[in-house]
Amino acid sequence: MDGMDMASMGGMDMGSQSLFVSTNQAIARGYWYGIAGITGLLTIIRLVSIAQTRHRLKRQERDPHCVPSRPRSFFSQAYATATATIRELSYAQPVYFTGRISKYFSPLPVGKWLVLAAYWTAILIFLWSNTILKPKDAMYAYKWEKVGFRAAWVTIAQIPFIYLLSMKFSPLTFLTGTSYERINWLHRWTARTVFLTAIVHWSFFLHEWWLADFVALEIKMMPMVRYGFGAFGTITWMILSGFGFFRAVSYEIFVAQHIAAAGVLLWLLFCHVPAYARWNVWLSVAFIAFDWSMRIVWNTLRNTHLLGGSKMRAPGYSARLEALPGDMVRLTISGTDFSWKAGQHLYLTIPRLRPLELHPFTLANASEASKEGGSDLTMLVKARSGFSKSLHKAALKSQDTGRTYRALLSGPWGVPPDLRSYETVVFIGCSSGASFVVPLLQELASKRTCVRRITLHWIIRHGEHLGWYEDTLTSIVESARACGVSVQITVHVTQVLGAGSSVVTDDMELKEAASHPVMEVESRSDQSSSSASMSSAEDEKTPLSRAHLPRTSSLTVANSSRPTVEAMIRPAVEGALGETAVVVCGGLSITAQARTFVAALSDERAVHKGTGAQGIFLFTETYGW
């Protein structure tokens, strides 16, 4: 054995392990202190943001002619400048792919890479600080084990964080205001990081055993080693099966096997790690137990109507299905006994159709809290495969029959953006992406907030798709007048049979203009007030009348090729007197383009850096990825 005593082999010598325990445990605690510190920082940022929004709304209420989103004090200017700089650094996503499989290999936005770079730097520091021993060191005989044990602790310390990131009832969401689905990418990348640190862990031990010709005996004599390799195999399977393509092929199978594998992994780790490190396993179990207990209780109360305080009703909700053009299904639940925020989503199951499947769908309308008997809840579901295909078939069969289905709901979930404090808001939705942006528009246009001008660009392929939201969009234009908000809605139809003008006319195949109570086209003289408006608003106290803004709200349908991101965003930003919010929902292509353009536009205009240009907030929701 090259002069090496059998008792000194990794895994056999528990004494060598005890030499590193105190340091390694301190490393594990340091990891969680770091997580707690970052969570605290994000919580403070959230509280500042909430306070800022409330302050702006109060200012708007006191002085309707001011622009509350323009910073006045040194602190607010410094905060705005720092925020704008971070946005410019983080928003861009210059490289992306659109192929059926290649899209799953699209690089992350720059901001997420920066987060990962910081995380990996911390992991590398924890892993390699004071672990490489020199030949003259008294502990040199344990050079392989020291790295192996350190990697073991760095690996096991990350396991609870992976489970924490998977929670729907998460303390991270409660503290930072970031919903579970928006940090799911970090859940996957943390698991991939664990995969790599686990390789360091077992490879250093395996190398030592190989040098001593001890591999087979170690595996035979030490059950914990076999459990360890089993755990590594489970992590490998979870990472491979969690690849986006496989999730898309069969989401139901992915969810079932992923939950099962998560349970198996914890059992294997419990058998593998020593007793004094099992607190990491128990912490993971605690996260799962809390999350699922809360889900079960909340979903039970929701579907038995105990939360809504309504009279005795049958469990679940009565859902109507309506087939729409473009293989779309509108699911409607009348008289719900709960409210929701625009932009949130629900998990839906219909036992009669597919009893064991639970799927998330965006709530396609804003909640009407004042409506007697409860709000009507709608979802727009694109029929693709599996559950959505079953919904479409059921909708076709129940057409004109009035048949309803019993639905069970979980939610609502999600933390949508709070847009009330911005001066200008731009919405961009592609096809079914309207189900995310239209409710946000619907909610903003029905209340008095800081928002003065709203622009919606909805891109659809065929004119018949306008029927998905025609009545809603018309209603929004009407309600905006009462709240003093200018709403400019443009529906871009990219594929039309025959030629026609760019604006709806009576002889076009789309929808007759007469069907729209409001069909006004905004004039250029009202629309272009970019640099002049901005300079005139430099003094916060200068009265800002509605003359600076388009006086009319309009709904326009245009035959055209797909508009560029610049054409949809730049005019609104350059005409804004205060901060602008841009909300985009669509495929990877348009969300990535929007990210990169907004970052470039913010840098070009040098927002909050002495030019008078105001900030640009961006929120993207990507589907089909």
Side-chain angles (χ1 to χ4, degrees):
M1 293 191 183
D2 294 334
M4 298 180 68
D5 188 270
M6 189 173 88
S8 69
M9 296 301 98
M12 289 291 290
D13 185 4
M14 294 297 104
S16 65
Q17 181 174 342
S18 63
L19 295 174
F20 316 122
V21 167
S22 59
T23 301
N24 290 337
Q25 286 184 332
I27 291 291
R29 289 194 298 270
Y31 173 83
W32 279 98
Y33 291 154
I35 297 296
I38 293 173
T39 301
L41 176 62
L42 294 176
T43 302
I44 292 173
I45 293 174
R46 183 195 182 197
L47 294 175
V48 171
S49 179
I50 292 173
Q52 183 184 66
T53 298
R54 292 180 177 177
H55 178 64
R56 289 179 179 180
L57 292 172
K58 288 181 179 179
R59 285 178 58 197
Q60 177 67 29
E61 187 177 353
R62 289 195 304 266
D63 182 6
H65 297 295
C66 75
V67 182
S69 58
R70 296 180 71 90
R72 294 191 302 176
S73 65
F74 172 80
F75 173 78
S76 61
Q77 180 61 60
Y79 184 77
T81 302
T83 301
T85 302
I86 293 173
R87 288 171 178 172
E88 290 170 12
L89 288 173
S90 61
Y91 279 164
Q93 189 175 4
V95 180
Y96 62 92
F97 309 117
T98 57
R100 180 170 174 266
I101 296 178
S102 62
K103 66 180 180 180
Y104 298 109
F105 293 95
S106 294
L108 297 169
V110 174
K112 292 182 179 179
W113 282 123
L114 293 176
V115 171
L116 285 177
Y119 184 79
W120 288 335
T121 299
I123 292 297
L124 289 174
I125 292 173
F126 288 144
L127 182 59
W128 296 109
S129 59
N130 300 319
T131 55
I132 305 300
L133 300 177
K134 298 179 180 180
K136 61 181 180 180
D137 197 298
M139 300 287 293
Y140 187 69
Y142 301 105
K143 60 182 182 295
W144 302 106
E145 294 182 34
K146 185 170 185 178
V147 176
F149 283 128
R150 175 67 63 83
W153 276 94
V154 171
T155 299
I156 195 65
Q158 296 177 81
I159 294 296
F161 188 49
I162 294 176
Y163 286 88
L164 175 63
L165 291 171
S166 71
M167 296 172 63
K168 286 186 173 63
F169 277 95
S170 172
L172 295 180
T173 298
F174 176 76
L175 293 172
T176 68
T178 304
S179 184
Y180 75 94
E181 79 279 1
R182 300 194 70 82
I183 55 176
N184 197 254
W185 69 273
L186 186 57
H187 166 77
R188 292 192 292 269
W189 279 97
T190 304
R192 293 163 187 167
T193 305
V194 165
F195 172 79
L196 296 177
T197 57
I199 290 177
V200 177
H201 165 56
W202 63 255
S203 64
F204 270 72
F205 279 119
L206 189 65
H207 185 70
E208 184 183 41
W209 302 337
W210 177 76
L211 289 176
D213 193 21
F214 197 64
V215 176
L217 183 59
E218 179 75 16
I219 294 175
K220 180 180 179 180
M221 293 179 59
M222 298 295 293
M224 66 181 298
V225 175
R226 297 194 293 272
Y227 287 119
F229 279 116
F232 178 75
T234 304
I235 292 175
T236 304
W237 166 256
M238 294 176 74
I239 291 174
L240 293 176
S241 63
F243 181 61
F245 174 77
F246 298 117
R247 296 200 311 270
V249 167
S250 182
Y251 178 77
E252 300 85 0
I253 294 177
F254 161 73
V255 171
Q257 62 85 26
H258 199 70
I259 293 174
V264 171
L265 174 62
L266 290 181
W267 175 72
L268 291 170
L269 288 175
F270 181 84
C271 297
H272 174 64
V273 302
Y276 51 79
R278 284 177 181 165
W279 63 267
N280 294 280
V281 179
W282 286 118
L283 182 58
S284 302
V285 172
F287 286 148
I288 295 175
F290 175 79
D291 183 36
W292 280 92
S293 297
M294 290 299 295
R295 287 198 222 180
I296 291 171
V297 171
W298 195 36
N299 293 339
T300 300
L301 294 176
R302 168 72 66 229
N303 289 283
T304 54
H305 310 287
L306 296 177
L307 282 177
S310 56
K311 298 179 181 179
M312 293 295 296
R313 295 170 58 178
Y317 295 84
S318 179
R320 300 191 311 275
L321 302 178
E322 178 187 358
L324 300 176
D327 294 332
M328 189 70 71
V329 178
R330 177 184 285 123
L331 183 147
T332 304
I333 297 175
S334 299
T336 58
D337 52 3
F338 61 93
S339 61
W340 61 91
K341 295 180 180 178
Q344 288 189 307
H345 61 275
L346 281 169
Y347 279 79
L348 168 74
T349 183
I350 299 182
R352 187 187 300 180
L353 297 180
R354 297 176 85 103
L356 300 178
E357 296 184 16
L358 192 68
H359 287 259
F361 297 109
T362 303
L363 293 164
N365 67 310
S367 177
E368 302 174 75
S370 60
K371 183 176 179 181
E372 293 185 7
S375 301
D376 291 344
L377 178 153
T378 63
M379 303 179 192
L380 288 182
V381 181
K382 178 71 173 178
R384 302 184 187 277
S385 61
F387 184 72
S388 62
K389 197 71 174 179
S390 297
L391 282 178
H392 188 252
K393 290 179 179 178
L396 292 174
K397 290 180 180 179
S398 60
Q399 200 82 2
D400 301 324
T401 65
R403 184 179 183 182
T404 61
Y405 294 85
R406 210 67 192 165
L408 300 177
L409 306 177
S410 173
W413 304 99
V415 184
D418 187 352
L419 306 173
R420 297 174 299 164
S421 64
Y422 298 94
E423 192 267 341
T424 298
V425 180
V426 179
F427 293 107
I428 300 175
C430 290
S431 188
S432 59
S435 63
F436 180 78
V437 298
V438 170
L440 290 169
L441 167 59
Q442 190 178 11
E443 193 170 75
L444 273 185
S446 62
K447 299 178 180 179
R448 291 195 176 273
T449 62
C450 298
V451 179
R452 285 188 167 89
R453 179 166 58 183
I454 304 174
T455 302
L456 167 65
H457 294 275
W458 183 23
I459 305 170
I460 56 178
R461 287 188 177 181
H462 305 290
E464 62 182 4
H465 297 172
L466 180 61
W468 301 349
Y469 271 111
E470 182 180 15
D471 294 339
T472 301
L473 295 179
T474 301
S475 175
I476 288 173
V477 171
E478 292 175 342
S479 64
R481 291 173 166 178
C483 292
V485 181
S486 171
V487 176
Q488 308 296 317
I489 300 175
T490 304
V491 182
H492 304 271
V493 183
T494 60
Q495 296 180 15
V496 182
L497 297 175
S501 73
S502 62
V503 180
V504 166
T505 57
D506 290 335
D507 58 352
M508 289 180 61
E509 285 189 334
L510 302 178
K511 295 286 181 181
E512 295 185 357
S515 66
H516 302 293
V518 178
M519 183 56 65
E520 299 171 313
V521 180
E522 186 179 341
S523 65
R524 288 183 179 273
S525 61
D526 285 335
Q527 199 172 18
S528 56
S529 58
S530 57
S531 59
S533 301
M534 188 169 59
S535 60
S536 67
E538 193 67 40
D539 184 357
E540 183 67 26
K541 293 299 183 180
T542 301
L544 298 173
S545 68
R546 297 294 173 177
H548 289 292
L549 304 171
R551 290 180 177 276
T552 61
S553 295
S554 65
L555 170 58
T556 304
V557 182
N559 299 336
S560 63
S561 59
R562 181 168 174 168
T564 64
V565 168
E566 180 175 5
M568 293 186 285
I569 297 176
R570 183 183 286 274
V573 171
E574 292 185 343
L577 303 176
E579 193 168 9
T580 301
V582 179
V583 181
V584 183
C585 182
L588 177 60
S589 174
I590 194 167
T591 56
Q593 290 175 29
R595 282 180 168 279
T596 304
F597 176 74
V598 167
L601 183 62
S602 179
D603 180 61
E604 171 193 322
R605 291 170 56 78
V607 302
H608 291 309
K609 298 180 182 69
T611 63
Q614 299 301 297
I616 313 172
F617 164 75
L618 175 68
F619 188 95
T620 62
E621 187 79 9
T622 306
Y623 59 68
W625 186 43

